[in-house]
Amino acid sequence: MRGRDILVPMSVTMDTLVSLCKRRGFVFQSSEIYGGTGSCYDYGPLGVELKQNIKRLLWRDFVQSRADMVGIDASILMHPTVWKASGHLDHFTDPMVDCRECKLRFRADHVDALPWTHYCPATKGNKFTIPAGEPCAHCGARRTLCPDCGKGQLTAPRQFNLMFKTFMGPVEEDASVAYLRPETAQAMFVNFDNVLQSMRMKLPFGIAQAGRSFRNEITPGNFIFRTREFEQMEIEYFVNPRDAVEGRPADEYWHDRWIADCMAWFRRYGLREENLKLREHDRDELSHYSKRTVDIDYRFPIGWSELMGIANRTDFDLKQHSKFSGKSLTYFDEERKEHVVPYVIEPAMGVDRALLAFMADAYVEEEVRGEKRVVLRFHPELAPVKVAVLPLLKKREEIVRAAHAIRADLAKQWRVVYDDTAAIGRLYRRQDEVGTPYCVTVDVQTVGDSEKGEAGDGKVTIRDRDSMAQARVPIDALPGVFHDLLGGGAWAQVAARLERQIQK
RNA sequence: GCGGCCGUAAUUCAGUGGCAGAAUGCCAGCUUCCCAAGCUGGACGUCGCCGGUUCGAAUCCGGUCGGCCGCUCCA
């Protein structure tokens, strides 16, 4: 860590992570052989496993396991009016200049066409309003400062095209302009009524979606933390604002409930308590649609930054889309016999940021017998590879054959690899560095020694990543044991149970 | 967008005008049944890219792409 974050030093720097990610096939820079493409990254063989695990767990825990949640997968290109209604298009299509004093914002090409305020030095600073484009009649000066307050410097013109623009169809004309979505949320508002009708949903209920979004960020950087193409997992949870839960308005109750659930989710899969905190948005920081927003901040190698935002978007979006589309986007409240526009709570997570956080938090360096051991202590459900099958001797054909058979059998259920290209110590270290929670080692005892006429015992050694402890189990028992271990069973407990079984 | 620093093997880095280097890693063989062991051999680079100066450029100059830091920005 450098500079401001020395108070609580991180165990890993961004440089170390970037290097590990490349060396071990997690993340590569996009188009690297051409010199790289700014702010774009590719997930490698292990990165894609990790990312898919994150998305799978989100989907399982927040969609599949809940009766009040459903998912959609919308197209990235949407009707241009969607972005008009959402407010994304309004302020960010033209070059803008800002006054550094009064903070007003002007279209750069319109500034000179505005009458301007002038404190004239030739008349002891008297204030004049001078017609557009004309110089001051007293001192001859032309406008250089803010036309409104007459005091502040204007910033250089900036093109606030935060959305990626493209064209539908082969002909580039204004009529065919389309945008790559800057957030996945809008598709869920636009499909609100479709989902409501087709699934016969009752409030409160939520729609979830995971997918790519695109923003022309002004300042991308910090590896995969802020990129212009990124992946989101968003939930729009619709509630009836007229309802009360536990004596509070439903939207406020559910907002807090989602904040707690999301925090618990990150903790469950390994982020440490001391690296997580909630951050309430100040009033002037709130987005135009938001009543209240709370971020879950994580202590990244670059310092505390947003991992997830949970906003109360009120009925802003449904009302906007109703207005622009002319379609009713309401819910019929049977009890009150009235139509209501639901409020919406929006938990929105950056999947890439979550991946970075899980990696940073999992990374540890230990000293083992005077040597450095690098370990990614991934939660087993997140680990890109669940089990590595390693022959202790690759010269013994029976051992190699048995190891391959074990890999093939376990691979029906999990991502399992085989490796025999180094001594056992090195093989373990390799798996440690990519976070494989368990290794299975096949040895002479397993298969027996035909020359000596000794029969094998059909047992293999399981080695635990974090404790480096071992337990010997029958090959037949492996699927069951890993079902327990990879499903969240603690090594110590499972190993102790194995001991008891073996003694019987 | 502005300013500063940087770009050499898979990684970390040395080399600052004269033959492209080290360590680690990787591959093969021998060896070794349990935590980066040893021995032998091997592969790996248009020195980010393009142009210029020079007898000669990784090295100097210009441009460009990419990265980091600071400022600005961040509905």
Side-chain angles (χ1 to χ4, degrees), chain A residues 221-467:
Chain A
N222 290 127
F223 196 38
I224 56 173
F225 180 80
R226 181 176 284 110
T227 53
R228 294 196 168 114
E229 173 179 349
F230 59 103
E231 188 138 358
Q232 291 187 297
M233 164 90 179
E234 291 191 298
I235 292 167
E236 307 301 332
Y237 195 76
F238 301 96
V239 304
N240 189 336
R242 300 283 306 272
D243 287 347
V245 186
E246 293 180 5
R248 305 175 56 202
D251 61 315
E252 296 180 11
Y253 168 86
W254 281 106
H255 195 180
D256 283 331
R257 180 71 185 273
W258 275 105
I259 293 166
D261 286 354
C262 291
M263 275 293 258
W265 190 86
F266 284 117
R267 280 194 224 104
R268 175 177 173 188
Y269 293 108
L271 298 193
R272 279 166 288 183
E273 188 72 45
E274 66 265 30
N275 291 335
L276 287 166
K277 71 177 180 194
L278 293 176
R279 194 179 69 82
E280 195 90 20
H281 277 217
D282 293 334
R283 185 158 289 281
D284 60 358
E285 189 185 357
L286 289 175
S287 308
H288 59 276
Y289 49 71
S290 177
K291 170 178 167 184
R292 176 188 175 220
T293 297
V294 174
D295 285 349
I296 295 178
D297 280 7
Y298 177 76
R299 197 174 60 195
F300 287 96
I302 53 169
W304 286 99
S305 282
E306 181 186 350
L307 174 59
M308 175 162 199
I310 302 150
N312 184 343
R313 292 182 79 131
T314 68
D315 55 7
F316 176 86
D317 299 279
L318 289 180
K319 277 187 170 165
Q320 284 292 106
H321 285 301
S322 182
K323 182 174 145 194
F324 278 79
S325 68
K327 303 282 194 301
S328 165
L329 296 176
T330 58
Y331 175 85
F332 187 70
D333 183 337
E334 300 283 357
E335 210 174 300
R336 299 186 180 87
K337 304 294 178 202
E338 65 181 9
H339 290 274
V340 295
V341 181
Y343 268 37
V344 63
I345 306 301
E346 177 191 81
M349 180 195 300
V351 175
D352 311 83
R353 288 181 181 186
L355 185 142
L356 187 60
F358 282 125
M359 285 200 78
D361 219 305
Y363 186 95
V364 291
E365 291 179 4
E366 304 173 345
E367 191 166 307
V368 177
R369 302 164 103 196
E371 297 277 352
K372 186 171 84 171
R373 181 171 90 118
V374 174
V375 192
L376 287 178
R377 296 192 161 198
F378 285 132
H379 186 285
E381 299 243 44
L382 287 174
V385 177
K386 309 301 185 193
V387 179
V389 184
L390 315 170
L392 209 52
L393 285 176
K394 67 172 158 178
K395 304 286 288 192
R396 295 285 288 266
E397 208 183 306
E398 314 93 292
I399 292 181
V400 169
R401 206 183 311 123
H404 278 300
I406 292 169
R407 188 211 66 84
D409 185 48
L410 295 178
K412 291 173 192 162
Q413 298 184 71
W414 301 287
R415 179 71 183 160
V416 182
V417 299
Y418 169 92
D419 192 1
D420 68 3
T421 60
I424 189 67
R426 183 179 298 279
L427 296 180
Y428 283 150
R429 290 296 185 276
R430 275 185 197 156
Q431 296 303 325
D432 290 340
E433 202 178 16
V434 299
T436 305
Y438 302 103
C439 292
V440 168
T441 308
V442 184
D443 56 25
V444 174
Q445 245 188 304
T446 311
V447 297
D449 192 330
S450 52
E451 286 178 19
K452 294 182 187 170
E454 293 170 3
D457 65 3
K459 290 180 180 173
V460 292
T461 306
I462 299 179
R463 179 260 198 185
D464 174 53
R465 175 193 66 202
D466 296 342
S467 66

Side-chain angles (χ1 to χ4, degrees), chain A residues 28-159:
Chain A
F28 308 123
Q29 185 169 31
S30 167
S31 314
E32 195 186 358
I33 64 169
Y34 285 104
T37 293
S39 148
C40 293
Y41 293 90
D42 299 342
Y43 288 95
L46 294 189
V48 68
E49 298 283 349
L50 176 57
K51 193 178 177 189
Q52 284 187 358
N53 287 342
I54 292 170
K55 288 193 284 185
R56 180 177 53 81
L57 293 173
L58 280 165
W59 204 258
R60 186 188 70 188
D61 296 340
F62 288 128
V63 182
Q64 289 179 340
S65 67
R66 297 178 58 133
D68 58 347
M69 291 289 305
V70 293
I72 63 167
D73 182 16
S75 71
I76 288 171
L77 298 170
M78 301 180 72
H79 193 287
T81 310
V82 168
W83 310 113
K84 193 108 186 109
S86 70
H88 286 85
L89 207 46
D90 272 354
H91 308 291
F92 302 106
T93 47
D94 299 302
M96 306 294 280
V97 295
D98 297 280
C99 172
R100 294 185 196 278
E101 282 294 322
C102 69
K103 307 297 181 192
L104 277 182
R105 177 169 287 170
F106 309 90
R107 279 183 59 166
D109 55 338
H110 287 182
V111 174
D112 287 333
L114 293 170
W116 54 291
T117 301
H118 179 52
Y119 294 91
C120 180
T123 62
K124 299 178 185 173
N126 278 347
K127 181 182 176 184
F128 299 101
T129 299
I130 299 171
E134 293 181 13
C136 171
H138 305 280
C139 67
R142 290 188 170 272
R143 187 198 62 77
T144 56
L145 302 174
C146 173
D148 192 73
C149 71
K151 293 174 182 170
Q153 290 274 347
L154 295 179
T155 61
R158 280 182 296 249
Q159 192 83 26

Side-chain angles (χ1 to χ4, degrees), chain A residues 207-223:
Chain A
I207 307 176
Q209 177 170 216
R212 305 258 179 171
S213 292
F214 303 80
R215 293 183 198 175
N216 270 316
E217 296 285 354
I218 296 166
T219 312
N222 290 127
F223 196 38

